[in-house]
Amino acid sequence: MRTRPLKVALLGCGVVGSEVARIMTTHADDLAARIGAPVELAGVAVRRPSKVREGIDPGLITTDATALVRRGDIDVVVEVIGGIEPARTLITTAFENGASVVSANKALLAEDGAALHAAAEKYGRDLYYEAAVAGAIPLVRPLRESLAGDKVNRVLGIVNGTTNFILDKMDTSGAGYSEALDEATALGYAEADPTADVEGFDAAAKAAILAGIAFHTRVRIGDVHREGITEVTAADIASARRMGCTVKLLAICERAADGASVTARVHPAMIPLSHPLASVREAYNAVFVEAEAAGQLMFYGPGAGGSPTASAVLGDLVAVCRNKLGGATGPGESAYTRLPVSPMGEVVTRYHISLDVADKPGVLAQVATVFAEQGVSIDTVRQQGKDGEASLVVVTHRAPDAALSGTVEALRKLDTVRGVASIMRVEGE
């Protein structure tokens, strides 16, 4: 074993960073044996140096992250500060000064991953980011390496634990959205400002990363269609249950049937209770991968939290350190297909539409005519009326999203339709 330690700089020492530092210290001998050389925490960049950080030598603490990554003797930089800047500048500076990078920064990778990969390649460094998607679940590396010889056609998954917890509570307890969110906040699953989670931004960033890796093309977060769960109601959950379904916030990345384009989207959807993702409860994550040769694969586990995310970071750290000792680098960006990302309007799926209508003869015929005129075929209809008002639930066959949008617009113009209560896609069949 080499005696000179590999030096690691840690950017950020919050929930994840502190756990990374703890594991590096307590498992130092095991890590050294697995890597072939000892690893040494050489510096920790933080914003609040006065905060007590148990188990970390105060002499390692610095507020000058730029100076830390410029030292020249740093072998690996672990970035867990998040956000776009200063993380982007610090990572590229690390490459310039001889360090490889392990990152958990999904937002940055989804926004500017191509430029970061280009910088890593220019300077001959590694860029690993298993922790950026689905916490401890091994997903990025299997897509980048284990399935590198296969053709992935679809990635369908629950990649945000907060929203899964909320939807699960709404399903199992009958709670409304606000009540379920309050419980998630009280238990620490939701942030004080839950916008990134409940509006789908977090899942969209992960979808962009997964789509790019799975389909060997560049997908940015702006290419991902995004809808959150704030409009999901107890009535939607109940209606799904009547269909033998449950509601999940799904990240869906698909290759077109002709192979000429891809789509990436995040939105709530009804999925059959028979689908493996339907049984994913509370704050857990799961991703369903469909490949030509491997068939259907499912990856399941805790998708967030200090320890699970730190596990993914440490796995990448071991891999990058091994590469460093061997004088090699691991897989970089694979974007050779250059496939365009199709707009949401071209996505084909089924739909569940709930309408508030007048309870009088001829309404159903008018509604059915609108669907027919827009080329959307109806599968089932359920109507319930009382005191001159009625609820009409329509489930369609597969149709393009643009056709469904046209249908809804036309329905809103009918005098007999008092409102479109909800629209939800039906997936996983």
Side-chain angles (χ1 to χ4, degrees), residues 21-47:
R22 185 193 68 79
I23 294 174
M24 285 185 64
T25 301
T26 59
H27 294 180
D29 291 343
D30 286 337
L31 290 173
R34 294 166 191 172
I35 292 168
V39 287
E40 174 187 298
L41 192 57
V44 181
V46 300
R47 286 183 297 178

Side-chain angles (χ1 to χ4, degrees), residues 65-119:
T66 301
L68 179 59
V69 299
R70 281 180 174 170
R71 274 177 40 173
D73 64 335
I74 299 297
D75 295 290
V76 183
V77 169
V78 174
E79 183 270 308
V80 289
I81 57 177
I84 305 301
E85 288 291 358
R88 174 167 46 199
T89 299
L90 291 170
I91 288 173
T92 54
T93 302
F95 291 146
E96 293 167 2
N97 286 272
S100 290
V101 173
V102 172
S103 176
N105 195 333
K106 54 187 171 288
L108 177 57
L109 288 159
E111 177 64 32
D112 214 17
L116 294 178
H117 276 293

Side-chain angles (χ1 to χ4, degrees), residues 171-379:
D171 186 30
T172 57
S173 70
Y177 168 78
S178 296
E179 184 182 349
L181 173 59
D182 289 343
E183 184 175 353
T185 304
L187 292 172
Y189 292 127
E191 301 287 343
D193 179 2
T195 303
D197 293 321
V198 300
E199 294 291 358
F201 291 101
D202 174 84
K206 295 169 181 176
I209 295 169
L210 292 175
I213 299 170
F215 307 134
H216 304 278
T217 196
R218 287 178 179 169
V219 180
R220 299 179 66 185
I221 189 169
D223 299 319
V224 181
H225 175 83
R226 175 192 55 79
E227 298 173 26
I229 67 166
T230 56
E231 301 301 318
V232 177
T233 65
D236 293 327
I237 301 292
S239 191
R241 193 179 301 113
R242 283 192 290 269
M243 289 176 56
C245 294
T246 189
V247 177
K248 299 291 185 183
L249 182 74
L250 298 180
I252 305 172
C253 311
E254 295 177 298
R255 189 190 301 267
D258 61 3
S261 64
V262 299
T263 58
R265 50 197 167 104
V266 168
H267 54 73
M270 297 179 180
I271 58 172
L273 294 175
S274 58
H275 194 283
L277 291 178
S279 62
V280 178
R281 300 298 185 186
E282 299 200 334
Y284 278 79
N285 284 193
V287 178
F288 205 68
V289 177
E290 299 175 10
E292 285 196 356
Q296 297 178 332
L297 308 170
M298 183 166 163
F299 301 83
Y300 170 85
S307 294
T309 306
S311 171
V313 169
L314 268 295
D316 278 351
L317 179 63
V318 169
V320 169
C321 286
R322 286 172 174 169
N323 291 342
K324 196 87 172 180
L325 290 178
T329 55
E333 183 188 35
S334 176
Y336 71 92
T337 63
R338 301 178 185 272
L339 295 174
V341 182
S342 296
M344 186 63 187
E346 297 181 13
V347 169
V348 177
T349 189
R350 297 179 67 208
Y351 303 88
H352 174 283
I353 304 103
S354 179
L355 305 171
D356 294 327
V357 300
D359 187 14
K360 63 183 182 179
V363 173
L364 181 55
Q366 290 181 0
V367 169
T369 297
V370 169
F371 276 87
E373 289 174 346
Q374 298 293 327
V376 179
S377 175
I378 293 176
D379 181 19

Side-chain angles (χ1 to χ4, degrees), residues 129-130 376 410:
Y129 43 90
E130 183 68 66
V376 179

